[in-house]
Amino acid sequence: MKKILVIHYSQTGQLTDIVDSVTAPFKNNETVSIIYENIKPKPAFPFPWSATRFCDVFPESVEGIPCEIEPVQFDPDGDYDLVILAYQVWFLSPSLPITAFLNSPEAKVMNGRPVLTIIGCRNMWLLAHETVKQKIIRSGGRLFGNIVLGDRTNNLLGVLTIAVWMLSGKKKILFGLLPDAGISGRDIQDASRFGAILMESLNNNDPGPVQETLNRHGAVTVVPQYILFEKRIHKIFKIWSKFILRKGKRGNPARRFRVRLFLAYLLAAICVIAPVSSVLSILAVKLKKGEIQKAIDYFSKNIV
Ligand SMILES: Cc1cc2nc3c(=O)[nH]c(=O)nc-3n(C[C@H](O)[C@H](O)[C@H](O)COP(=O)(O)O)c2cc1C
């Protein structure tokens, strides 16, 4: 009997749907026992968000300052053959509930075990995953594989549709004239193919990394421009997060003005800086071909 622990958090249910799809081949399988642990922030984050509350989680996300979470239900000393950690990205960083879990004593459950990560995000996950990988390794976990599902629409259109979704709760905008926000239902459904690969690997008693096999089935796609984008944006995010944190912790009214300034910056960045940056990045990718190819290899292999 193989024992699998699935740790995840989802605000809208999107990541829960992905986890359900990937783990579908394990269900009704008598040789597998599967335990789902839903990480619960205390208090829950609001959905839909107000623009201010959305930006108020920014500094803590970037600086890796965890939120409070409810006690977990699983046995951290249990004997698991595989730990699956499913997470989403907030401001190029792991979301606050996942940071909270990774920083908690219960993260020791990964010690000595293969850990498969599943990311469900818009499209920028590279730097967040660097942080998550480091924390898994620090807890003694072994990187087993990574599966990334993202929004396939054009970057700028994707920003618009996800912003409307996050701030209104509506995935369909302009009567369906624009693509629905988030990851497509088809991609979520098709993610069960990864579960079949994992099942085979577990049945073979093969605890070695399955990244190459997963990648042959489209588990990880690295968009060259985003490598440059993320590095650039992250540097600016670090300046903003420190600037806001100087006025206090999350929810502190003293920092509200700075949070709103950041919101104004974000809007300007999306409307003005992002389109220019997109063009420059296409050029930069052509000029730095060798360097970019190395980075693509690194990020898609899920190594540290
Ligand atoms: C506060 C916040 C910041 C986000 N920042 C990013 C980001 O930097 N990169 C990205 O690809 N997606 C980002 N997203 C989208 C999430 O990764 C995720 O796709 C979305 O919130 C749905 O996830 P759910 O399963 O928790 O509902 C952000 C979402 C939120 C709420």
Side-chain angles (χ1 to χ4, degrees):
M1 174 71 80
K2 301 289 178 191
K3 220 170 151 188
I4 301 175
L5 172 68
V6 183
I7 296 160
H8 87 294
Y9 163 73
S10 181
Q11 203 190 17
T12 67
Q14 177 174 265
L15 194 53
T16 308
D17 290 344
I18 296 170
V19 162
D20 282 346
S21 179
V22 174
T23 57
F26 301 139
K27 289 175 197 160
N28 306 322
N29 186 320
E30 283 160 12
T31 64
V32 177
S33 117
I34 186 157
I35 296 165
Y36 293 91
E37 177 71 37
N38 190 1
I39 301 294
K40 293 193 187 79
K42 200 167 89 179
F45 289 100
F47 186 78
W49 299 79
S50 72
T52 311
R53 289 196 73 174
F54 183 88
C55 289
D56 200 36
V57 296
F58 158 76
E60 280 74 12
S61 302
V62 172
E63 297 300 330
I65 302 168
C67 61
E68 261 194 72
I69 52 174
E70 306 269 2
V72 295
Q73 305 296 309
F74 70 88
D75 173 11
D77 296 314
D79 193 15
Y80 305 100
D81 295 285
L82 176 68
V83 177
I84 298 181
L85 175 70
Y87 72 94
Q88 56 287 93
V89 179
W90 287 4
F91 298 109
L92 308 185
S93 317
S95 67
L96 289 184
I98 291 299
T99 295
F101 166 71
L102 287 168
N103 287 10
S104 72
E106 287 74 25
K108 72 173 182 198
V109 71
M110 298 186 285
N111 192 11
R113 314 213 180 287
V115 180
L116 175 98
T117 43
I118 303 177
I119 305 173
C121 67
R122 191 174 73 77
N123 60 12
M124 296 204 190
W125 54 273
L126 302 173
L127 295 185
H129 197 52
E130 288 307 290
T131 306
V132 170
K133 283 192 301 188
Q134 293 296 344
K135 288 188 189 254
I136 292 172
I137 299 284
R138 215 171 303 147
S139 298
R142 283 184 280 126
L143 300 176
F144 182 65
N146 184 31
I147 297 168
V148 185
L149 267 73
D151 180 348
R152 287 180 193 256
T153 45
N154 153 289
N155 185 36
L156 294 175
L157 203 55
V159 174
L160 176 71
T161 53
I162 204 164
V164 174
W165 180 28
M166 292 293 126
L167 303 181
S168 74
K170 294 192 176 94
K171 277 187 134 183
K172 251 189 205 331
I173 57 172
L174 286 178
F175 310 103
L177 285 177
L178 295 184
D180 286 0
I183 299 161
S184 80
R186 180 74 194 269
D187 282 347
I188 293 177
Q189 209 183 331
D190 288 352
S192 62
R193 69 189 185 281
F194 301 124
I197 295 169
L198 298 174
M199 191 71 243
E200 203 179 307
S201 160
L202 282 176
N203 281 340
N204 288 344
N205 287 323
D206 171 16
V210 287
Q211 195 64 53
E212 260 182 46
T213 319
L214 289 172
N215 284 358
R216 277 200 295 277
H217 291 80
V220 174
T221 307
V222 178
V223 180
Q225 285 93 305
Y226 297 166
I227 298 170
L228 302 171
F229 260 15
E230 285 204 33
K231 281 190 184 152
R232 217 174 292 149
I233 301 169
H234 193 251
K235 274 188 198 150
I236 302 169
F237 274 6
K238 286 298 250 188
I239 297 170
W240 273 104
S241 59
K242 290 196 167 64
F243 174 68
I244 297 171
L245 277 168
R246 258 181 247 132
K247 284 287 178 187
K249 293 184 182 165
R250 193 159 56 89
N252 188 334
R255 73 184 210 174
R256 204 171 290 152
F257 177 69
R258 292 188 178 194
V259 169
R260 288 188 177 146
L261 268 185
F262 172 69
L263 172 62
Y265 160 77
L266 214 53
L267 291 173
I270 292 166
C271 298
V272 185
I273 307 170
V276 178
S277 198
S278 297
V279 177
L280 292 179
S281 296
I282 293 171
L283 291 176
V285 165
K286 286 202 188 326
L287 292 173
K288 297 182 178 176
K289 240 181 186 166
E291 197 185 311
I292 294 291
Q293 190 52 51
K294 258 193 211 158
I296 293 174
D297 289 345
Y298 170 76
F299 287 118
S300 51
K301 281 184 185 154
N302 193 40
I303 47 178
V304 282

